[in-house]
Structures are given as C-alpha cells and as structure tokens.
Amino acid sequence: MSRSTQIVASHAAAHDVRDVWFAGAIIFILCIFFLPVPSVLIDVGLALSIALSVVILMVALWIAKPLEFSSFPTVLLVATLLRLSLNLATTRLILAHGSEGVTAAGYIIGGFSNLVMSGDFLIGLIVFLILITVNFLVITKGATRIAEVGARFTLDAIPGKQMAIDADLSAGLIDDKEAQSRRRELEEESAFFGSMDGASKFVRGDAIAGIIILAVNVFGGVVIGVMRHGMSIGAALDVYTKLSVGDGLVAQIPALIVSLAAGLLVSKGGTRGSAEKAILGQLGGYPRALMLAASLMFVLGVMPGLPLLPFALLGGVLAFAGYTIPKQQERASSVITSVAEVNVKEDARGALEVAPLELSFGRKASAAMATSQGELAHRISQMRRRFAREFGFVIPDIRLSDDLKLGPAAYRLKIHGASIAEKDLPLGDVLVIAADGKAPDLPYEETREPAFGMKAYRLNASHAAEAKRQGFRTIDPLSVLLTHLSEVVRGNLAMMLSYKDTRGLIERLGPEYKRLIDDICPTHISYSGLQSVLKLLLAERVSVRNLALILEAIAEIAPHARRVEQIAEHVRLRIAQQICSDVADGRMLRILRLGARWDLAFHKGLRRDAKGEPAEFDLDPHLVEQFSAEVAAAIRERLELGRRFALVASPDVRPYVRLIIERLFPAVPVLSHLEIARWSDIESLGVVS
C-alpha cells in the first residue's frame, strides 16, 4: 500500500470514529432525559455546558463573516438540548435529595448558590430574574427580530444578486469558477439566514423553559420537603429555593452567553472581519469624537462631588487613542496605496489577457449545459486528447462563460477574442441528418447542421425513439455543440499554436535533435520561423506529430531557402507518406485532378524570381471566379458520394490552388503529384477542366 493510500485510509478511519463519537454524545444527551444521573456526572455536564457556550461566543467574535459559522443553528440546537437535559436531571436530584442540603444536586449548583446569592435566596432570585429579563426581553428578542428581517431581505435580494453575478460574468470581470463560487455562497447565505430565523426560537424557548423549571422546582420542592421529609415551610423554602435558583443560574449563564453569540452573529450583517475589528475599527475611525469624549471626561472629573481619578484615567485613555489613531491610519494608508497601485497594475495585465479558445452561452443554453456540466467537461477533455494524438500538440483549455447579449439558446465560439462561429442549440429537440433526401415520418422543422452545413431535420426529443425505429440517427444538443466545436478547432489549428507550444514541442525531443536545433537556429531559421512552418502545415490540417522528421526536413532546406512557404512545401514532400495516410481510405487514395487548362492558367499566373523560384501569384480575377465556380461544382458533386478524396495539382501551383479552395471547402486537402505515396492505390474521380 502506498503512502498516499495509507493517509487517505487513516483520514477515513478518523472520520468514521468522529461520526461514532458524535452520535454517541447525542444518544447520551437523550438518555439524560429518562435515566437518573449521579451528581458527579451532573457537575461534568454543567461544566461542559459552560465551556461549550464560551467556545461558541469566541468563535462568533472572531469569524470574518457569518457564513464561516454556518453550522451555528445545529450547534445551538445541540447546546440547548444539553442544557435542557441537565435541567431535567438536576430537577430530578433536587426534588429527590433536596432535603440533604445545597450540595444535593452537585457541587457546581451549590457553589453558584453560595457565590451569587451570598447565602440569601432572595438575592439569588432577584439576580436570576434579572438574567432572565436580559436574556429573554433584550438579547433574544432583538436577535430574533434581526434574524427574521435578515432572512426576509436575504431571500428577496437573491434574484438581484444572481443577475449581478451573471452581469459580471458576461462583462468578463469574473471567470466561471468565481461565478460558481459566488452562486454557491449565495445559496449558503440564504440557507444560513433561513436557519437562523428558526434557530433564534431555540434561545427564546430556552429562556421560557428556565422560568417554568425554576417555578416547578421551588413549588414542588417545598411540597415534597414539607409533606415527605417533615421540614418546616421556612426551611423547605430556604433549601429548595437556593437549589432551584442555583440550578437556574448555572443554566441561564450559558444560555445568556449563547444568546449573546447569536445576537453578535446575526447583527454583523454585511460587516466583514471579526467583531473586534468591526466594532473597534469603526468606533475608533473618528479621532475627533474620541477627543470630545476625553474632554467631557476631564470636565466631569473636576466637577464638585464627582471622583477625579476614574474620569481622569478614562479621559487620558481616550485622548491617547484619539492622538495615536490618525498616525496609524496614515501609515496604513501609505501601505494600502502602494498595494492598490500594485493591484491596479496586476488587474490591468489580467484585463489584457485573452482566452485562446472561449465558448459562450446564452441564458437558456447556459442553464441546459449546467445540467450536463460533468459530461460536457468529460467530452471536451476527450476531444483535446484526440486532437493531441492526431495533430501532435495539445490545444489550449476551453473557457466556458455566459453571455447575456446572446440569444437565449445561442452559443458563440471565440478564438483569441475573435468571434468565429455563432449558432443556436436545438434545446429540447434532436437533429436528424437528411439521408438521400428522405425525411422522417414525424413532425419536424427543416434546418442546417452547424458543423458542416448539411441539411437536417429538427424533431422534438420525445420523438427520438420513433426516429431511431425508422432508421434515422438522432443527434442531441450536446453532440451538436461538440461536433461544431471540434470542426472549428480543426479548421483553426494554426491560430492555436503559440510560440510557447512550439518551444514545448522542441523541448520534449531527445538530446540529438536539440543539437540539430542548435545547428539551424538561429543561423538559418529562427524559432518564430519554425513556428510559422508548423502553422502553415496545421493550416492545411497536416499533423505535426512527427516533429523529428519535420525538423530534419527543415534542416535540409533552411540553408537554401528564405521564405517559410518554400520550407513548408519541402517539409510536405518529406512527410508525404503521412499526408497520404491521413487522406487515404486504407490503401485507396481517391483523387480529383486539376485539368491541363487550369494547370496552364495557374502556371501563367506565377511570377518567378531570378533563380526561377515562384515569387508571387497574379491571376486574372475573372479566371479566379470561373475556376472557383467550376471547382466548387466538381467538389460538391463528389462530396455527395460521402467518400474522402483529395484535389491534386502540380507542385508549383498547389499552394495557390489551396488558397482558393480553402475558402470554399476548408476540409478538402490539396496535394501535389509529388506528395502521392508510392504504396497508394489511385482511384481517379475525374478532372476539373
């Protein structure tokens, strides 16, 4: 077993142990309601209740925003359940053993009764009633109201916040991951404030239960002490009131602390940072107010009859704070200014970055793709791997984004920020490609398939099964999108090969080829020149996976040629076997030949340099239009047969024939006679004459 596997297994085991312990603790709390508990365990439970309430308060003080303590409603429920179970257990002990003295329900209750009440149960009763009043009428009621209003306003603001996220995404201010994170945070926020609205009722109910339990303990204890144990009414009232008030104080102090934590949590609102930073930072943000308060303290200190020391001490503290805070703000301002300048520069640089490949969706299309996000990511990943195997380099990551400017069902493909294609997805429908002009015997809408422009029929998705039964192949919207994306990428591979990709391809070669690169770069050709040669090959959908052979061909011709077009043509001759293999159907290579008439016309349009090499091409525009019409008709006729073929021309005119053909039929390869492999079985499909 590997180390990583061991670590994962240990974490899983630890997680299972925590689950068991937590479930056991909940069951133990429930058992306290029904089973008698000794006073020792009561003391442990009361100490645990106080400690838990203090931890909750400290966490509520130090969190930066309320969502960081999203488990607060659950923690509050557990803490309230623990206090009520302990109240019931102490009530059982008080009523059963109260006649034995103030330690009958444990030493913590007895200690609180002596410490807070000073031996007088009336003092304890008054303190208890004050705590109940503060907790019930002040803190709990205010926190409940804040939670109710916060939940209402949070739910009402969700649509506006969603639209703001979509607007930022469309404007390019945030990326897809940030948008998803914000949407997730928005969902968590609405769920949190909705839960807090209900959780605040726990605290309110706990305070009411404390009053009822105190009254029951006092009344029931006096009755039991007088009737069962023969105590006098005064003695019974003294003992049971001390025990009941001590029990109430021990329960209400943690309840007050938790209520304070709940109030702090819901009252923070949209304030970021810990409570200490938020409160002290805002109170201390106005030094003049501190100075005026200090002046008032000094005036009160010199007034006759008032003590000088406390007012003078407090006035000095406020004056010192009012003097030092502006100095700290100046230092912080200088630091923030420098950081802001750096951030502005970084943001400016980020705004200048353009995604190599971006896929944007309209509102309905985005919602539809979100439901199949996993499948979309998986199939895009498969497409990138397929292109890497087929063409020899990895295409860039595809950025997915929303664009509210698009139609609801539309999508747009961008390469380096330039819009390449924009179509509508058949949402809720499927496409059926027209085969031999035959249409399905179903309600349909005639349309065009976006990738190849073929005639197709759009059917409702509910008719897909019937269309398959009739022998038609259905294409779902996701497949339509990915086919179009694949074809757009295939036709624009040259735009996606960056200088960084070129250097990466070279670095992956062996040391012997690195030595070859050192021999020709930059003496005969630069690295950007190498990139240009590779881009010329990719522009005609020629794979660069055999990079070693391509570099050998470049090394042969680079010392004798200056134009990258000449170098690219020589490379094509060296990798002719690969080119034919990619075009041929097995060993069968089907070709459409350029006729002698057009071959002669193209040769006449060539302008050669002093060495006799083709330098430029100048063909009569009328001849270009005529050739385009004739070759388009011939190619379209052969494409209807559904078989792969290549157009063949003489070596000198091949690049210029390709310039015309690629605008009409970018997927049709154009070969020269010298690029036909010797092993090929040739099938002629005719002549363009």
Side-chain angles (χ1 to χ4, degrees):
M1 186 182 294
S2 64
R3 180 172 176 80
S4 60
T5 307
Q6 293 177 350
I7 292 173
V8 170
S10 63
H11 279 289
H15 183 71
D16 293 340
V17 171
R18 287 198 301 269
D19 287 348
V20 172
W21 277 102
F22 186 77
I26 298 297
I27 293 173
F28 179 74
I29 292 172
L30 293 176
C31 290
I32 296 177
F33 281 101
F34 313 104
L35 302 177
V37 181
S39 59
V40 177
L41 290 181
I42 294 291
D43 287 342
V44 174
L46 293 174
L48 176 62
S49 176
I50 296 172
L52 180 61
S53 62
V54 174
V55 170
I56 293 172
L57 177 61
M58 293 299 105
V59 173
L61 280 172
W62 287 335
I63 59 171
K65 53 183 180 180
L67 284 181
E68 293 183 6
F69 199 6
S70 58
S71 63
F72 181 81
T74 305
V75 175
L76 182 61
L77 175 60
V78 173
T80 304
L81 185 66
L82 176 62
R83 284 198 305 276
L84 291 176
S85 65
L86 291 172
N87 267 337
L88 185 60
T90 53
T91 298
R92 190 183 294 112
L93 287 177
I94 290 171
L95 296 179
H97 305 286
S99 60
E100 299 174 5
V102 293
T103 60
Y107 288 96
I108 289 181
I109 292 177
F112 264 85
S113 63
N114 292 325
L115 179 66
V116 179
M117 292 184 284
S118 302
D120 192 341
F121 70 88
L122 287 177
I123 298 175
L125 186 61
I126 293 170
V127 172
F128 176 79
L129 292 176
I130 292 173
L131 284 176
I132 286 288
T133 303
V134 170
N135 190 14
F136 182 70
L137 295 179
V138 180
I139 299 177
T140 305
K141 193 172 183 179
T144 301
R145 183 59 179 165
I146 293 174
E148 290 175 353
V149 175
R152 186 178 300 122
F153 278 94
T154 299
L155 294 175
D156 292 342
I158 285 178
K161 292 181 178 179
Q162 287 278 17
M163 292 179 64
I165 294 172
D166 293 338
D168 289 347
L169 183 61
S170 301
L173 300 176
I174 58 175
D175 56 9
D176 300 323
K177 293 183 180 179
E178 179 66 20
Q180 291 176 1
S181 176
R182 289 190 183 182
R183 291 191 183 105
R184 194 180 304 111
E185 184 176 350
L186 190 60
E187 294 173 1
E188 292 174 354
E189 184 180 358
S190 62
F192 172 74
F193 281 100
S195 301
M196 284 298 300
D197 186 21
S200 59
K201 305 296 191 298
F202 296 151
V203 183
R204 189 182 181 96
D206 189 21
I208 298 173
I211 299 174
I212 296 173
I213 291 171
L214 174 69
V216 169
N217 283 344
V218 173
F219 178 75
V222 171
V223 171
I224 291 174
V226 172
M227 298 183 65
R228 294 283 182 89
H229 301 289
M231 301 173 65
S232 63
I233 295 178
L237 192 63
D238 181 69
V239 172
Y240 284 101
T241 303
K242 286 181 179 179
L243 286 172
S244 301
V245 173
D247 179 33
L249 288 173
V250 174
Q252 286 306 308
I253 289 175
L256 179 65
I257 295 173
V258 174
S259 300
L260 178 60
L264 286 172
L265 203 60
V266 298
S267 62
K268 275 177 63 67
T271 306
R272 290 188 173 270
S274 62
E276 165 264 330
K277 291 180 180 178
I279 297 172
L280 297 182
Q282 294 177 14
L283 288 178
Y286 301 93
R288 286 181 294 181
L290 296 176
M291 286 297 187
L292 288 174
S295 302
L296 180 61
M297 293 295 102
F298 286 122
V299 170
L300 292 174
V302 298
M303 294 291 290
L306 295 179
L308 174 63
L309 182 61
F311 288 109
L313 182 62
L314 187 57
V317 172
L318 292 174
F320 177 77
Y323 175 76
T324 57
I325 285 176
K327 303 293 185 183
Q328 294 177 355
Q329 288 178 345
E330 289 178 2
R331 290 195 297 269
S333 177
S334 62
V335 174
I336 291 171
T337 302
S338 61
V339 172
E341 291 176 353
V342 174
N343 289 337
V344 167
K345 293 178 181 178
E346 292 179 353
D347 292 341
R349 292 194 196 99
L352 294 174
E353 294 180 359
V354 179
L357 187 58
E358 184 176 1
L359 181 58
S360 304
F361 297 100
R363 179 172 51 83
K364 289 185 179 179
S366 178
M369 290 300 107
T371 59
S372 56
Q373 189 174 5
E375 185 181 0
L376 176 62
H378 175 66
R379 294 179 66 174
I380 287 178
S381 177
Q382 284 186 325
M383 183 187 72
R384 294 180 71 219
R385 285 196 295 268
R386 186 176 70 252
F387 274 106
R389 290 192 302 268
E390 187 175 350
F391 292 101
F393 81 104
V394 181
I395 64 172
D397 290 331
I398 301 174
R399 177 190 292 178
L400 305 179
S401 63
D402 298 337
D403 192 347
L404 297 179
K405 297 178 182 178
L406 293 173
Y411 65 93
R412 178 185 292 158
L413 302 173
K414 291 182 180 180
I415 297 179
H416 294 296
S419 181
I420 303 298
E422 182 177 335
K423 298 290 183 179
D424 284 342
L425 279 175
L427 299 178
D429 298 336
V430 294
L431 291 187
V432 172
I433 304 299
D436 301 328
K438 183 183 177 183
D441 188 17
L442 293 166
Y444 64 84
E445 177 186 346
E446 195 170 307
T447 183
R448 290 281 176 181
E449 189 269 334
F452 304 100
M454 294 186 294
K455 184 179 179 181
Y457 304 104
R458 182 168 176 173
L459 311 177
N460 190 278
S462 59
H463 297 148
E466 179 61 22
K468 291 179 181 178
R469 193 184 66 80
Q470 295 181 14
F472 293 94
R473 181 174 175 267
T474 60
I475 308 173
D476 59 275
L478 183 58
S479 298
V480 171
L481 169 67
L482 292 173
T483 304
H484 192 194
L485 174 62
S486 176
E487 194 59 25
V488 169
V489 171
R490 191 181 301 272
N492 295 273
L493 287 170
M495 297 178 62
M496 299 180 193
L497 182 69
S498 64
Y499 181 81
K500 179 182 177 182
D501 294 329
T502 304
R503 294 301 298 260
L505 292 174
I506 294 172
E507 292 296 326
R508 284 198 293 270
L509 294 173
E512 61 276 8
Y513 285 98
K514 290 182 180 179
R515 186 175 299 175
L516 176 64
I517 293 293
D518 293 336
D519 291 339
I520 62 174
C521 293
T523 307
H524 301 294
I525 189 171
S526 62
Y527 283 100
S528 57
L530 288 178
Q531 180 190 359
S532 299
V533 173
L534 298 180
K535 294 180 78 168
L536 286 174
L537 295 174
L538 291 171
E540 298 193 40
R541 308 190 182 194
V542 176
S543 174
V544 297
R545 61 182 182 269
N546 197 352
L547 187 59
L549 186 58
I550 292 173
L551 289 178
E552 290 177 8
I554 293 174
E556 292 173 357
I557 192 66
H560 312 289
R562 294 300 176 202
R563 295 171 56 238
V564 292
E565 291 83 3
Q566 292 177 280
I567 298 175
E569 290 300 310
H570 180 77
V571 171
R572 289 180 61 91
L573 294 178
R574 286 291 306 273
I575 60 173
Q577 302 270 359
Q578 171 196 312
I579 295 175
C580 285
S581 177
D582 293 340
V583 175
D585 188 5
R587 292 179 57 89
M588 181 61 67
L589 178 63
R590 299 178 182 90
I591 62 172
L592 177 65
R593 292 186 294 109
L594 190 67
R597 170 172 168 257
W598 286 116
D599 189 70
L600 180 61
F602 273 87
H603 272 93
K604 287 181 178 180
L606 289 177
R607 299 291 181 265
R608 301 179 182 271
D609 57 16
K611 296 181 180 180
E613 298 290 340
E616 60 181 17
F617 182 70
D618 184 17
L619 188 63
D620 190 326
H622 296 290
L623 289 177
V624 173
E625 292 179 6
Q626 187 180 353
F627 173 74
S628 300
E630 290 187 14
V631 77
I635 290 176
R636 195 172 288 112
E637 182 182 350
R638 274 74 178 177
L639 285 175
E640 291 177 355
L641 300 176
R643 295 185 295 181
R644 300 171 66 185
F645 67 94
L647 182 64
V648 177
S650 60
D652 288 343
V653 304
R654 191 210 68 83
Y656 308 104
V657 174
R658 171 65 187 173
L659 285 176
I660 300 174
I661 295 296
E662 67 177 350
R663 299 184 180 277
L664 303 172
F665 303 95
V668 175
V670 180
L671 308 180
S672 73
H673 299 294
L674 300 178
E675 293 171 0
I676 298 176
R678 290 191 298 270
W679 50 260
S680 301
D681 295 331
I682 307 298
E683 179 184 350
S684 179
L685 301 182
V687 180
V688 181
S689 60

